[in-house]
Amino acid sequence: MNSPFNPPTTTLIEAIKTVVGDGGWKAPNDAARYFSDPRDRFTGAACLVALPRTTAQVSEILRLCSGAGAAVIPYGGGTGVVAGQLSIDSDQAVILSLERMNKVRSIAPEDGVMIAEAGCILEDIHNTAQQHGMMFPLGMASQGSCTIGGNLATNAGGIQVVRHGNARDLCLGIEAVLANGDVIEDLEPLRKDNTGYNLRHLLIGSEGTLGIITAATLIVKPVDPETVTALCAINTPADALRLYHRLARSLGNSISGLELMSDFGIGLVSGHFPNLTLPFANRTPWYLLVEASGRTGLRDDVEQALAGCMEDDLLTDAVLAESEGQRANLWALRENTPEANRLTGAICSSDTSVAISKVEAFIDAASAAVKQVHPDLRINSYGHIGDGNIHHNVFPPEGMEKPAFIAANPGVIDAVRNAISEATVQCGGSISAEHGIGRLKTDDLQHYASAAKMEAMRAIKRALDPKGILNPGAVLK
Ligand SMILES: Cc1cc2nc3c(=O)[nH]c(=O)nc-3n(C[C@H](O)[C@H](O)[C@H](O)COP(=O)(O)OP(=O)(O)OC[C@H]3O[C@@H](n4cnc5c(N)ncnc54)[C@H](O)[C@@H]3O)c2cc1C
């Protein structure tokens, strides 16, 4: 591999090893898991994987790397899907994994906050909150592996945004190390603080290009006494939105999950995971998974609201989970969709958001654009419809394997990606709703963002990371 960075000297590597001590680093030949991509599209590399235990160690590593002009790539759980955590252009970067900074420093239900280190696995944060009768309402299929540092660095979304917002909305404070090793400590649990520029919001969503998040003050909320989960059989995405608006009028803001799935997509999930099947006798083109959480007695309201929607032909059938096991089964249909897509051989997985009212127009436009690239491509559109966030996964024609199809159709992946991006922009949408830019979408950002926005972003990067050592090649080329 060629390297655009200063290759670290042996002296630098040894100095980093001394900072983290025995067991605090891995050589490249012992670090394969840091080089793989959840969708098998990219392969990374590194000259060293450093595993600091403290913010002081992170600071010292950055001070050393900054002095040497060596590249550092922050790494959380490695579940990012836009290659932000992978050094795919160089084997000379230092990967800095936060996995050993995985302590919950404190939880204060009376303030509604928890202070967690960046390497805490999201699911562990859920469990800790639950032990105190609280919840941290950020959820996604990768929650058993992704870290809160990665969630904040990507401003992750997921399945509860419709009620609780994305990672940014659930964070009150941040501790981070800047490129030169300076530490920003801003962990006070304040709901209001207008003292100058908000560096927390700058760092959230910056994908490790402006600083390394080492800890965060997270908002935790009391657990809702009742959660009701229903799967509705529907005919069109527009029906899903009509259903959502009707339910929202009856149930207020208790709707906490709203996931659109296609019959084609459910078929892929059942094909790869035969124990996961639909609870309906008849199939419909689309399904809407609805979850509502709130006060005791909510279930009766949900049942009544759904019955009214059925009378008005907004849905053709509905099943309410009667137990935690049934609820888990309904969610498993949705949560196994990304893996079913991967196993089926998706050649493209998009992450679009449009205004909620434009979801159906976007699905139609993007599907038509993909079919123009190749009429036999298959499409699974699904996602967080309550946020206007649709993932479009595209597969080779029935009966064709991914490698053979790509070999026979050179350029097809880029053509599909561009077709979906164009449809997105024509619908006034965003080419990255929740996954970020990483290394996958730098050209797209450059292409679609205004010159003024790009220059402002470059100026911020120059100011905070003048030597460009933090995650070079991610977000900005
Ligand atoms: C099956 C599956 C389902 C998913 N579902 C969703 C979903 O519903 N919603 C959603 O938003 N995403 C989803 N994702 C994507 C992914 O899980 C999120 O982007 C997640 O936030 C990444 O966290 P991570 O700890 O794995 O970060 P990584 O993949 O390790 O890193 C992601 C980016 O953050 C940077 N980074 C990591 N840690 C830090 C840190 N401490 N400080 C600064 N920068 C850092 C990295 O350099 C990289 O640029 C899914 C992924 C998979 C595989």
Side-chain angles (χ1 to χ4, degrees):
M1 271 186 192
N2 294 322
S3 173
F5 323 124
N6 281 353
T9 58
T10 312
T11 315
L12 175 67
I13 300 275
E14 290 309 314
I16 295 174
K17 288 180 183 174
T18 305
V19 169
V20 287
D22 286 347
W25 56 272
K26 285 181 192 292
N29 59 5
D30 183 28
R33 87 168 176 85
Y34 302 90
F35 306 149
S36 68
D37 163 55
R39 290 182 177 156
D40 301 333
R41 282 180 302 190
F42 303 101
T43 305
C47 63
L48 182 76
V49 178
L51 309 163
R53 266 198 199 284
T54 65
T55 304
Q57 288 180 357
V58 176
S59 165
E60 186 57 17
I61 293 169
L62 286 198
R63 203 184 56 73
L64 289 167
C65 289
S66 173
V72 180
I73 300 188
Y75 191 97
T79 67
V81 288
V82 289
Q85 73 282 23
L86 297 172
S87 179
I88 54 179
D89 303 319
S90 165
D91 54 7
Q92 297 299 324
V94 173
I95 301 273
L96 192 152
S97 170
L98 282 297
E99 68 200 61
R100 297 205 305 170
M101 293 188 63
N102 59 0
K103 282 193 290 296
V104 171
R105 292 187 187 166
S106 63
I107 177 160
E110 64 282 12
D111 284 330
V113 296
M114 172 197 286
I115 298 183
E117 291 183 341
C120 287
I121 300 285
L122 180 56
E123 205 161 70
D124 293 342
I125 289 181
H126 292 169
N127 294 338
T128 305
Q130 211 160 26
Q131 284 159 16
H132 292 80
M134 307 295 279
M135 61 175 178
F136 178 61
L138 182 74
M140 58 197 77
S142 53
Q143 64 195 29
S145 310
C146 65
T147 61
I148 192 64
N151 298 149
L152 290 166
T154 57
N155 187 25
I159 55 179
Q160 290 165 293
V161 174
V162 67
R163 178 161 174 221
H164 297 287
N166 47 28
R168 185 188 298 285
D169 302 307
L170 294 166
C171 177
L172 293 180
I174 239 169
E175 178 190 272
V177 182
L178 300 179
N180 62 4
D182 284 357
V183 179
I184 292 186
E185 276 180 71
D186 181 16
L187 289 172
E188 294 304 323
L190 303 180
R191 309 268 162 170
K192 290 185 165 183
D193 175 19
N194 283 350
T195 50
Y197 301 149
N198 193 317
L199 300 179
R200 168 174 95 251
H201 284 310
L202 197 54
L203 287 161
I204 294 174
S206 67
E207 300 181 52
T209 60
L210 299 180
I212 297 191
I213 298 166
T214 47
T217 305
L218 307 172
I219 294 178
V220 292
K221 305 183 182 185
V223 173
D224 288 309
E226 196 158 303
T227 294
V228 189
T229 309
L231 186 67
C232 306
I234 55 174
N235 284 315
T236 64
D239 281 349
L241 291 173
R242 281 191 277 273
L243 187 53
Y244 169 40
H245 293 310
R246 271 283 291 275
L247 291 175
R249 274 199 293 275
S250 321
L251 304 171
N253 82 337
S254 56
I255 295 176
S256 50
L258 202 72
E259 296 292 321
L260 180 72
M261 295 178 282
S262 68
D263 191 55
F264 172 62
I266 296 278
L268 299 183
V269 173
S270 298
H272 291 289
F273 306 99
N275 57 331
L276 298 179
T277 52
L278 275 174
F280 301 121
N282 299 313
R283 305 190 77 123
T284 43
W286 296 89
Y287 304 94
L288 185 67
L289 184 59
V290 182
E291 190 154 273
S293 320
R295 59 178 175 72
T296 312
L298 185 64
R299 187 182 174 89
D300 292 344
D301 296 352
V302 174
E303 270 184 64
Q304 261 184 23
L306 286 176
C309 291
M310 195 141 166
E311 271 171 28
D312 293 344
D313 291 333
L314 293 180
L315 57 98
T316 59
D317 206 349
V319 165
L320 264 77
E322 300 285 343
S323 64
E324 196 45 47
Q326 284 183 7
R327 174 177 177 243
N329 282 345
L330 294 183
W331 272 107
L333 289 168
R334 168 63 182 87
E335 284 174 348
N336 285 287
T337 301
E339 183 60 3
N341 288 335
R342 188 185 72 80
L343 294 170
T344 307
I347 59 165
C348 174
S349 311
S350 77
D351 174 32
T352 296
S353 69
V354 292
I356 296 170
S357 58
K358 293 194 174 158
V359 165
E360 182 157 274
F362 164 70
I363 291 176
D364 289 347
S367 303
V370 168
K371 294 282 183 188
Q372 293 246 312
V373 174
H374 192 296
D376 298 327
L377 285 167
R378 296 171 298 154
I379 302 162
N380 181 17
S381 308
Y382 70 99
H384 319 297
I385 189 170
D387 320 325
N389 181 185
I390 296 298
H391 301 301
H392 238 62
N393 275 240
V394 180
F395 310 93
E398 183 72 51
M400 276 201 91
E401 293 295 322
K402 178 173 165 178
F405 178 70
I406 293 171
N409 295 272
V412 69
I413 294 180
D414 283 343
V416 168
R417 270 170 33 77
N418 292 340
I420 297 174
S421 295
E422 282 298 318
T424 302
V425 172
Q426 275 160 24
C427 291
S430 164
I431 54 157
S432 178
E434 60 177 6
H435 293 159
I437 297 297
R439 291 177 170 75
L440 177 67
K441 294 188 179 175
T442 48
D443 286 341
D444 303 330
L445 178 67
Q446 173 90 24
H447 182 70
Y448 290 112
S450 70
K453 175 174 174 171
M454 292 305 294
E455 188 38 44
M457 286 177 59
R458 285 195 196 97
I460 293 169
K461 173 76 175 167
R462 278 194 300 272
L464 288 184
D465 181 14
K467 293 187 178 172
I469 64 157
L470 277 176
N471 215 353
V475 184
L476 295 169
K477 279 194 119 174

